[in-house]
Amino acid sequence: MPKAQNGGFGHVGERMRSAVFTKPALRELVRREDVRNPTIPEADIVAAVDEALQQALDPASVLPPFTTVPVKTKDCVYYPQLPTRLIHRRLSQYVQKRFRISPLSRDAIVQGVLESLTDSSPMWIVRRDLKSFYESVPTIDIQARLLSDTAMPSSVRRQLRLVLERHSGSGKGLPRGIGLASTLAELAMNDFDRAVRAYPGVYRYFRYSDDILVFLREPPNGLIKHMQQLASGMGMSFNTKKGKAADVEVAFDGKKATAKQLDFDYLGYNFSFTAFCEDKKAREVTVSISEVKIKRTYSRVINSLRDFRLSPNYTLLHDRLKYLSSNMLIGQRLTPEQKVFEVKTGIYYNYRLCGVYTASSPKNHPGRELKKLDGFYHSLLTSQQSEFFNSLNQNLSGQQIASLKRLSFWKGFEERFMVSFTKARLAEIQKAWKYAR
């Protein structure tokens, strides 16, 4: 083939690789939460997409300033500029496809855990979580891997370099809060994941961000030491303060009457089962909402009532408690032409895999933890020993208190009650929970 044609194909190849950043690809990444006003003119969105494309392809582009937003006890990075957020989302998409990164969803992992637990075989379970995951994840190897990959378009490598130099200049840590960081963290954890899966005796391995669960056929002492060495070699460590992050032994007890009842928490659920299991018969597993998540709801109920005591507002109190005990539909659509991506969330949809499982179809969730939460909530409303009894009775009518009593966490789960609030109202509702854990 003549040299001129070779050169021509080379330029075409570079143009094709540069097509990572295009107006249609960036436009599809605009989300409803990106714009405060749902009726924002299309011209403004087009302008933001145009600016994102210009920045992505400009060899002299730089990252704009960012802000930090406290979420619980962690600081999250937020870029207020929409064009920058669009670039980062596109980078995340590209890296996921380029390196075949496709982590399992939370629901898929929980279903995998259930398959393992109902198995009648003897097993050992190790549950661990990595300490300060995003702050400590090593990035030296992925920086070398990404920034020297000439198969990637130069525009992609340049934008990745800007992010990594700003947030991971020391070769450690990723910016918590942006989707690109979770993609890069998955890439950084590849070797760790492979090493744990390959350890003798391990037959199921799950990791959801920093939360790890391993099933193996033999006592876990060697695996635990191996995992600690792997983490230490990466400059990471495991949390030792969180409860129930311990080893669980599940084996044939031989005596059903004396078999131990075991349980552990993982991904917001509690898994409870007995060590005894008849040969070739599935083990029964009860899945409920974890104690940590239930305690957080207790805390939010109390904070809602405390805020009411300071500033009596019945409608706001009712909305807060209704929000906690119900479900919502979240849609992401900016214009009628765009496809709607709807996500259901709330007391049922966040924990829809609760129930009693065997080899057959799961039984309905008995809801003990939610019924107990209802009892606690109603005692706060009506008991004379409640710290809120006086403020509620002084500021509310009997009809209003009765309306609050009709709210039920168990009914919200069982009957899947749906509610709807504006974005502004949601912000007002959540103000009382700033310090809830």
Side-chain angles (χ1 to χ4, degrees):
M1 185 178 292
K3 282 187 177 181
Q5 289 185 340
N6 263 336
F9 281 126
H11 290 302
V12 170
E14 177 61 28
R15 285 198 300 272
M16 290 177 67
R17 292 199 303 270
S18 297
V20 171
F21 294 108
T22 65
K23 287 184 181 181
L26 292 166
R27 178 64 180 84
E28 288 180 1
L29 295 173
V30 179
R31 300 171 184 168
R32 181 174 232 166
E33 64 264 28
D34 291 326
V35 289
R36 294 183 179 179
N37 185 350
T39 60
I40 184 173
E42 177 65 18
D44 290 354
I45 298 175
V46 170
V49 170
D50 287 344
E51 185 178 346
L53 182 62
Q54 182 180 354
Q55 287 181 16
L57 301 180
D58 182 3
S61 67
V62 296
L63 272 178
F66 66 88
T67 61
T68 56
V69 180
V71 178
K72 295 185 180 180
T73 59
K74 304 290 186 182
D75 284 337
C76 292
V77 167
Y78 177 72
Y79 281 91
Q81 307 84 3
L82 177 56
T84 302
R85 299 201 300 275
L86 295 179
I87 291 171
H88 291 169
R89 289 170 193 164
R90 188 63 180 133
L91 288 173
S92 181
Q93 275 188 340
Y94 178 84
V95 172
Q96 286 179 15
K97 185 174 181 180
R98 175 78 176 81
F99 296 98
R100 299 180 181 179
I101 299 170
S102 54
L104 293 175
S105 69
R106 175 173 173 258
D107 279 1
I109 290 176
V110 171
Q111 288 166 346
V113 171
L114 281 167
E115 289 174 6
S116 302
L117 287 174
T118 54
D119 185 356
S120 62
S121 303
M123 65 183 74
W124 282 260
I125 303 169
V126 174
R127 202 223 117 170
R128 292 289 186 273
D129 62 279
L130 289 159
K131 185 177 182 180
S132 301
F133 180 60
Y134 282 101
E135 292 77 11
S136 62
V137 65
T139 60
I140 292 177
D141 289 344
I142 64 168
Q143 288 191 48
R145 186 176 180 183
L146 293 170
L147 303 183
S148 63
D149 187 350
T150 56
M152 291 197 302
S154 58
S155 58
V156 171
R157 282 181 281 133
R158 182 170 56 249
Q159 293 300 325
L160 286 170
R161 186 186 303 277
L162 292 175
V163 174
L164 291 167
E165 287 182 348
R166 172 170 288 185
H167 296 286
S168 307
S170 63
K172 178 181 179 180
L174 288 166
R176 183 185 295 269
I178 67 173
L180 176 60
S182 61
T183 297
L184 296 178
E186 289 300 310
L187 187 60
M189 292 297 293
N190 270 348
D191 289 343
F192 178 94
D193 295 340
R194 278 195 293 266
V196 176
R197 284 194 181 98
Y199 191 83
V202 170
Y203 68 96
R204 294 298 292 269
Y205 170 79
F206 303 99
R207 183 179 58 78
Y208 188 82
S209 187
D210 59 341
D211 286 330
I212 297 169
L213 193 69
V214 190
F215 289 81
L216 64 164
R217 299 289 189 195
E218 54 191 52
N221 293 343
L223 172 67
I224 293 169
K225 184 177 180 181
H226 181 60
M227 289 173 61
Q228 289 171 339
Q229 289 172 343
L230 289 171
S232 178
M234 298 172 66
M236 307 178 80
S237 61
F238 292 108
N239 245 320
T240 56
K241 294 183 179 179
K242 289 187 179 180
K244 297 193 176 181
D247 322 317
V248 178
E249 179 181 342
V250 183
F252 292 106
D253 183 275
K255 297 179 181 179
K256 187 173 184 178
T258 59
K260 293 180 180 179
Q261 187 69 22
L262 305 169
D263 76 293
F264 64 89
D265 289 351
Y266 190 58
L267 301 187
Y269 290 97
N270 177 263
F271 300 85
S272 177
F273 47 92
T274 172
F276 176 84
C277 189
E278 296 178 23
D279 191 16
K280 297 182 180 180
K281 184 176 180 181
R283 181 180 289 107
E284 184 176 278
V285 181
T286 299
V287 183
S288 55
I289 303 173
S290 73
E291 184 179 356
V292 170
K293 297 299 183 183
I294 289 292
K295 282 184 176 179
R296 186 177 69 173
T297 305
Y298 275 73
S299 177
R300 289 183 170 183
V301 169
I302 291 172
N303 281 10
S304 299
L305 291 167
R306 284 177 177 166
D307 189 78
F308 174 82
R309 188 167 55 189
L310 293 172
S311 303
N313 182 328
Y314 164 73
T315 305
L316 181 56
L317 175 62
H318 190 274
D319 281 354
R320 281 173 173 157
L321 297 170
K322 183 168 66 171
Y323 173 87
L324 288 173
S325 59
S326 304
N327 303 278
M328 289 182 62
L329 184 65
I330 301 174
Q332 294 184 357
R333 182 176 70 175
L334 290 176
T335 66
E337 293 76 24
Q338 281 186 288
K339 185 178 180 180
V340 180
F341 295 94
E342 294 180 332
V343 178
K344 293 179 180 178
T345 183
I347 194 69
Y348 170 77
Y349 290 100
N350 289 350
Y351 307 102
R352 57 186 168 186
L353 295 179
C354 286
V356 180
Y357 291 81
T358 58
S360 58
S361 299
K363 301 176 186 176
N364 289 337
H365 179 41
R368 297 183 191 89
E369 76 282 14
L370 292 172
K371 293 171 184 177
K372 184 178 178 181
L373 178 57
D374 277 343
F376 168 79
Y377 163 59
H378 290 151
S379 71
L380 292 178
L381 296 179
T382 60
S383 172
Q384 293 187 9
Q385 282 70 47
S386 166
E387 62 177 292
F388 307 109
F389 181 81
N390 290 334
S391 63
L392 290 170
N393 280 274
Q394 290 169 5
N395 293 287
L396 298 180
S397 67
Q399 186 177 2
Q400 288 173 326
I401 292 177
S403 179
L404 292 176
K405 286 177 64 178
R406 283 194 291 272
L407 297 174
S408 164
F409 295 91
W410 169 238
K411 285 185 178 179
F413 180 95
E414 188 179 39
E415 300 180 22
R416 307 180 193 181
F417 286 145
M418 301 295 293
V419 295
S420 178
F421 298 104
T422 65
K423 187 174 181 179
R425 189 57 168 176
L426 280 175
E428 188 70 18
I429 285 171
Q430 294 168 356
K431 277 183 181 179
W433 309 330
K434 183 176 180 181
Y435 303 106
R437 295 290 180 263

